[in-house]
Amino acid sequence: MSFINRYFHLNELHTTHQREFVAGLTTFVAMAYILFVNPTILSASGMDKGAIFTATGLTAAIATIFMGIFANYPIAIAPELGINAFFSYSVVIGMGIPWETALAGVLVAALMFLLLTLFKVREKIINLIPQDLKVAIAAGIGLFIAFIGLHEAGLIVGNSETMVSLGHLSSGTSLLAIFGIIITFVLMSRNIPAAIFIGMILTSIVGIIFGQIDLPTSILAPAPSLAPTFGVALKHLGDINSLQLVTVVLTFLLVTFFDTAGTMIGLATQAGFMKNNEMPRLGKALGADALGMTLGAVLGTSPASAFVESSAGIAVGGRSGLTSVYTGIMFFIALLFSPLLTVVTPQVTSAALVVVGVLMARNLKDVNWHDFAIAAPAFLIVIGMPLTYSISDGIALGFILYPITMIATKRAKDVPWMMYVLGFVFLIYLFIIAH
């Protein structure tokens, strides 16, 4: 225990083994849905659903543990939502590209990630982002994940006339989600330790009692074989031989790059890790992220990235890499006990996402709202993430506007040169995804 304490600097970070375990468990529960959602989305491309399940779990387990041991951050890594839909519905179904070739594209993007990380290009880019935009990113992610939680729980639904509206609040699933949010808010208001995790447990129990959540039919289930997807990306690298596929690779790279950057900045800000507008050990954290993306491509899944649900574990006190180690171990275990995870429905996790959204939205106070040239791009970042349903798109809107408003107020020299480059890159990015 003393070695673990020293290695993860638990005393310096004002945390304990018990708190790190609860945080790791909370993060795992908050993101366990990816084990089922990712296979559902990727299987639309023709990939084997069972193999995707195993690839998802192994990628999350190995990359997250590596993050904890190598970078000492409570940040989990797993295949990313959004980019998996781009993989299946845009690349494979929309463009007619075989999933084997698309997976090779993910691997090429991952290898580029490794090179950019090795030469510290990603680290320099992130550290040059102005402080006001960094805190706007953190707040925007808060609104985004709160919106995800409310939408997946059925409390916010699409509406052809008003775009979005309240869902059917009288349905059993909606009432369960409302119960979870209220009980978690009460626990948080009373400063109960591990309030988010306790709220999840209580919501699951109530859901089972009232028949809104089915009891699992079994306890143990062997992990499905990886054979249908393992190594397929390596065998099809030669298929990346057209301008269309180069565009696909660049899209994988850009989206994952900036989603990861935004997520890590938001999580580091939430946990209080930022020092002098920089994230310590950022290079190591990005290295773990690049490893996860590469490993996932080889195993057979869409790009992996830092997972925003890590904020749930941070919210209950996770401060060291020990949190990530526990989360990763639970992903390994989940491969054998997958039937038990069926009780973790969107109604169970929605409360955690909404609460974390509240906590991360506090960063709005640190934006200089009195300076319109700064406030405008910061606002577009914050509002853009939930409205476009994309962290990257929200960042793009703000990063393109920031140099423009600074030039307009004759402060062009105050803008880091990298922000001009990023503004141009994001223009290209928006052009690519628009076509």
Side-chain angles (χ1 to χ4, degrees):
M1 282 294 193
S2 59
F3 169 76
I4 294 177
N5 200 336
R6 290 194 305 272
Y7 185 86
F8 291 105
H9 306 287
L10 300 188
N11 291 335
E12 295 93 317
L13 294 170
H14 307 291
T15 185
T16 64
H17 293 270
Q18 293 82 0
R19 188 176 300 158
E20 296 293 296
F21 175 77
V22 171
L25 182 59
T26 301
T27 295
F28 169 73
V29 172
M31 62 187 288
Y33 66 86
I34 196 65
L35 286 166
F36 301 97
V37 175
N38 198 45
T40 299
I41 293 175
L42 291 183
S43 62
S45 69
M47 297 176 68
D48 182 83
K49 198 169 186 178
I52 302 168
F53 172 85
T54 303
T56 301
L58 287 176
T59 300
I62 296 171
T64 300
I65 290 174
F66 188 80
M67 170 69 81
I69 294 175
F70 185 60
N72 197 27
Y73 277 125
I75 298 175
I77 297 171
E80 184 183 5
L81 284 178
I83 194 70
N84 55 4
F86 173 76
F87 180 102
S88 287
Y89 299 108
S90 296
V91 177
V92 178
I93 297 175
M95 300 181 185
I97 296 172
W99 67 263
E100 296 90 343
T101 304
L103 206 57
V106 174
L107 180 57
V108 172
L111 294 175
M112 293 172 67
F113 244 46
L114 284 172
L115 287 175
L116 291 173
T117 303
L118 181 64
F119 291 102
K120 298 186 177 181
V121 175
R122 295 174 72 196
E123 186 174 353
K124 291 177 181 178
I125 290 174
I126 293 174
N127 284 334
L128 284 173
I129 298 173
Q131 176 65 15
D132 288 277
L133 300 191
K134 282 182 179 176
V135 296
I137 289 171
I141 290 175
L143 296 185
F144 177 58
I145 63 175
F147 181 69
I148 290 175
L150 293 171
H151 175 66
E152 291 188 345
L155 301 182
I156 298 295
V157 298
N159 186 299
S160 59
E161 296 180 355
T162 61
M163 292 182 283
V164 293
S165 64
L166 281 175
H168 299 290
L169 302 186
S170 60
S171 69
T173 53
S174 294
L175 290 173
L176 179 61
I178 292 170
F179 168 82
I181 292 172
I182 292 175
I183 194 66
T184 306
F185 276 21
V186 169
L187 293 171
M188 288 291 297
S189 299
R190 294 184 61 84
N191 297 316
I192 303 297
I196 294 176
F197 181 61
I198 294 172
M200 289 181 180
I201 294 176
L202 293 175
T203 305
S204 298
I205 292 173
V206 170
I208 291 171
I209 292 173
F210 287 94
Q212 297 303 314
I213 297 177
D214 295 329
L215 284 170
T217 56
S218 61
I219 303 298
L220 288 170
S225 172
L226 272 175
T229 59
F230 181 75
V232 169
L234 291 168
K235 298 176 183 177
H236 289 264
L237 284 175
D239 294 344
I240 309 299
N241 54 13
S242 69
L243 180 60
Q244 182 188 44
L245 288 169
V246 170
T247 301
V248 169
V249 170
L250 289 177
T251 302
F252 282 139
L253 179 66
L254 287 172
V255 172
T256 311
F257 185 111
F258 289 105
D259 269 8
T260 295
T263 300
M264 284 196 178
I265 289 171
L267 294 172
T269 302
Q270 177 194 3
F273 294 139
M274 301 297 285
K275 295 181 180 179
N276 299 319
N277 196 33
E278 294 186 356
M279 182 177 171
R281 307 183 307 283
L282 177 58
K284 291 184 176 181
L286 293 173
D289 175 69
L291 170 71
M293 186 174 178
T294 307
L295 176 65
V298 173
L299 293 177
T301 183
S302 54
S305 175
F307 230 63
V308 71
E309 279 82 359
S310 304
S311 53
I314 292 172
V316 299
R319 289 297 180 272
S320 81
L322 189 56
T323 291
S324 295
V325 171
Y326 282 129
T327 300
I329 290 172
M330 289 167 199
F331 267 107
F332 274 126
I333 296 172
L335 291 173
L336 299 176
F337 292 87
S338 56
L340 293 178
L341 297 177
T342 57
V343 302
V344 185
T345 66
Q347 290 72 37
V348 173
T349 59
S350 62
L353 299 181
V354 174
V355 168
V356 171
V358 173
L359 298 177
M360 296 186 74
R362 292 184 298 190
N363 290 286
L364 288 170
K365 65 180 175 59
D366 296 321
V367 175
N368 183 5
W369 296 109
H370 298 289
D371 187 337
F372 192 83
I374 293 174
F379 177 78
L380 281 186
I381 290 173
V382 173
I383 199 69
M385 290 185 190
L387 291 186
T388 63
Y389 212 73
S390 167
I391 292 174
S392 293
D393 291 354
I395 294 174
L397 295 175
F399 278 35
I400 292 170
L401 181 62
Y402 180 74
I404 296 173
T405 54
M406 293 297 283
I407 292 172
T409 53
K410 300 180 180 180
R411 287 180 285 176
K413 293 182 179 180
D414 295 336
V415 179
W417 65 271
M418 184 60 70
M419 293 303 297
Y420 289 109
V421 175
L422 290 177
F424 180 72
V425 168
F426 271 119
L427 277 174
I428 297 175
Y429 161 76
L430 292 181
F431 176 81
I432 290 174
I433 64 172
H435 290 76

